[in-house]
Structures are given as structure tokens and as C-alpha cells.
Amino acid sequence: MRHDLRRLTNRAWLFRLLAAVVAFTAMVCTASACTVGVTGHRPSPPPGGPPRPPELDAASEVWPEATFTVPSSLGGEPTVQPVAILGANQVLMVAPLSTRPRFVTYDLRTGRHRVLATAPEWSDCDLCFEIRSVAVSETRITWTAGIYRSEPWNAGKRHVELWTMPRSGGRMRLVTWLTGHGDLPFHDELTVDEDQALWRDEARAYRIPLSGGKAMEVPFTTGMPPAPQPDPDLDDQVCGVEWCVGRVPPRAYELTTMVVRRRDGSGRVTVPASSGGPLIGDRFGLFGLPYVYGPGPVEIFSDGPESAAVLYDRCAGTSALVGAQGKKDRSHEITQGASVPGEPILFWMQQDEKRYTVLDLARVPDQPCGR
């Protein structure tokens, strides 16, 4: 009986230890969307050993005509970020942490910059005017702002507003409020179509005339592609207009892969990668780096944002490495620029934190690929 009690005690201790490992992993990985799976046995490695992830060239080597750098500070602005391309040599940048946030253009040829617009005087306080999502059209720059104005009637609560200005620069103009006091969604998206903006957060969507007028609530799925048919062979399938992306369930000692295919299942291509969302512009896939899946019994892998990633061009069937290699800091993550009529930019901080590398997807050589 004492032997049985010791065996049960040891087994209970083992289960507690396993639960603690899983709980700790869940706590640590909350921000990076980690997944924990438990398997019952440890499979044997293949005779020739596990496969090796492919060695990829940097995006600057694969697409040199689409890659350039811009400074991370300009003049008296200690922090600026690239947003979009306004012309052949003009980069739209924003100084979000200035006492009065402003939009500027940076000339790639001369290295000079010009202020396009500055937030109003009342924004000169901590987080009074926080730029969130930006969209650029042929004639206008439009954005959402988290607003906090220290007036007695607002009880110190923030809300979201829609602002716009001419693309060439000029006065910032308030279009409308988008939320009530105390309503500051964690995430929002903004697109502009001619003289109308479409805005959505996690639960609602509005269409707003930029000339002024009341925001009209529309179905949340407005402007979004229909849900795809499920594919039993793939996990986490997401789709754009015509093309879908899904993750192949990982197996021990195999290289993680993603599948790119049309909605009807045709054009199926397997890409060495580990995670990712829908194709950007139904063409470019921004995926996590591939790796060899471990043998268990406790499998822990991360689908969270990485400082280095794979950029896959569906048209050319080419992959390249993007991002600051060797950096795990969130400030070095790869960021997608503003919503624009064509493909957006991707940018990331260089290791010395003095400049950003910018990849203009619109400048990647176009190839007919059955869009």
C-alpha cells in the first residue's frame, strides 16, 4: 500500500509539474499567441536526420529596386515612422510622439523633409491626439485619432475621431466622431474610396463621407471577402479576394509549411513558413520563419509576431527574408504601412535603431500571374 501511495504521489507530482509548465507557458506566451500541445509518445527521427529550413536571401538582394532606408528621426522630431509613398521619391512619415503630432514628407534624393500638417494647439498634452490608422488616396490623407481633451465635461475619457487633409498638405480637418466618451477600441482599420471612408473596429463598421456628414453604420462584413469553405487539411485558413492561406498541421521532424491556393482549391502551392495572415493585395504573403517541429511530448511553438519573417511573392514564386535579423524586441517587428490604392509598404527598424528599412511592395517587379 505504501508503494502504491508513493507511485500515486509521484504521478500526481508529475501531473502538477506538467500543468505548471503548461500554465507558465500560457502566461508567458499570451502576447505571442503560443500553442501548447501534448503528445503521447516520442517518434523516432528520420534516418537521414530532420530537414533544414531553406536559406533565403534578404529582400534588399531579391528586390533592390523596391528597398530603401529612411531615418528614424528628423530635425527636432526624435521619433518618426514611414507611412506610405507619395511619389517617386517622396515618403510620407508621421511623428506620432511629438507634443503636437505631425505629418511630414521625406525626400529620398535630398534627405530633406517638409511638414505637411500639425495637430491643433489643444493637442499639446500627453496623448491628447494619438494617431492610429492612416489611409492615403489620390487626393487626401485620412486617419483616425484617439482624442483626450482635458475639459470638465468629458470626465477624462478618450474617444476616436476621423480627420483628413489634402495629400499635398494643409490644415487638418475634423470629419466626425466615431465613438463616444470612454470608447477607445484596441484595434481599428481604415480605408478610403474616393470621397468616402470605411472604418471598422472589432465589432462595428461605418461609412463616412469625407466632405462632412453623419457616419452611417453598415454591416461589419462590408468590404470584406466572404468566408471561405473550410479545408480539412489546413488549419487557420484565411482568404483575400481570390486567394487563401492555410497552415499545414505540423508533424514531428518535419519542416513547417503554409499552403497558398485559390478559393476553389486550384493553384495550390506549398511555402516553407510557420504562420501568417491573408495575402497582402492577394499577392504577397508575410509569414513566420519555418522551423522543424519538435518530437514532444510537450510541443511548444509560437505563432506570434517575429522580428524576421518570410515574404512570399505569389506571382514570381519567390521568397525573401525581411525584418531585422537577430532582434526579438517588439520595436523591431515588421509593420505594414497605410492603406493605399496599390500595395502598401513594409518597414522595420534596423539594428542600430537610427534608420528604417522600407520595402515598397508596389515597386516589386510586376508579373502576370492570373490575379
Side-chain angles (χ1 to χ4, degrees), residues 26-172:
M27 177 182 67
V28 171
C29 297
T30 299
S32 57
C34 285
T35 301
V36 178
V38 180
T39 60
H41 64 281
R42 182 183 295 271
S44 300
R52 295 181 60 85
E55 296 183 3
L56 300 177
D57 293 328
S60 58
E61 299 176 11
V62 179
W63 304 298
E65 64 276 36
T67 309
F68 52 90
T69 67
V70 295
S72 59
S73 62
L74 287 175
E77 301 293 351
T79 302
V80 293
Q81 292 182 351
V83 176
I85 306 300
L86 296 185
N89 296 290
Q90 297 294 318
V91 182
L92 175 65
M93 306 187 74
V94 61
L97 301 181
S98 176
T99 54
R100 293 176 60 186
R102 63 191 65 198
F103 287 95
V104 301
T105 57
Y106 175 78
D107 192 310
L108 294 172
R109 296 169 303 178
T110 65
R112 297 178 180 178
H113 68 280
R114 177 174 69 91
V115 176
L116 294 181
T118 302
E121 291 184 4
W122 55 259
S123 68
D124 189 2
C125 69
D126 186 25
L127 294 181
C128 281
F129 194 101
E130 181 184 11
I131 296 176
R132 295 165 60 91
S133 296
V134 181
V136 179
S137 70
E138 297 294 339
T139 59
R140 308 205 65 81
I141 300 171
T142 305
W143 66 97
T144 58
I147 302 297
Y148 167 71
R149 297 185 66 173
S150 54
E151 298 171 342
W153 53 268
N154 72 2
K157 296 179 179 179
R158 292 178 172 87
H159 64 278
V160 178
E161 296 177 355
L162 182 69
W163 287 69
T164 190
M165 71 179 187
R167 178 176 168 133
S168 58
R171 185 178 64 89
M172 292 182 173

Side-chain angles (χ1 to χ4, degrees), residues 56-59 272-275 285-290 304-312 319-325 327 332-334 346 348:
L56 300 177
D57 293 328
S274 59
S275 60
L286 185 60
F287 300 144
L289 297 175
E306 296 286 347
S307 59
V310 173
L311 184 67
Y312 171 72
S319 292
L321 193 64
V322 294
Q325 303 176 41
K327 286 287 187 176
H332 292 79
E333 291 172 8
I334 301 158
L346 300 176
W348 55 92

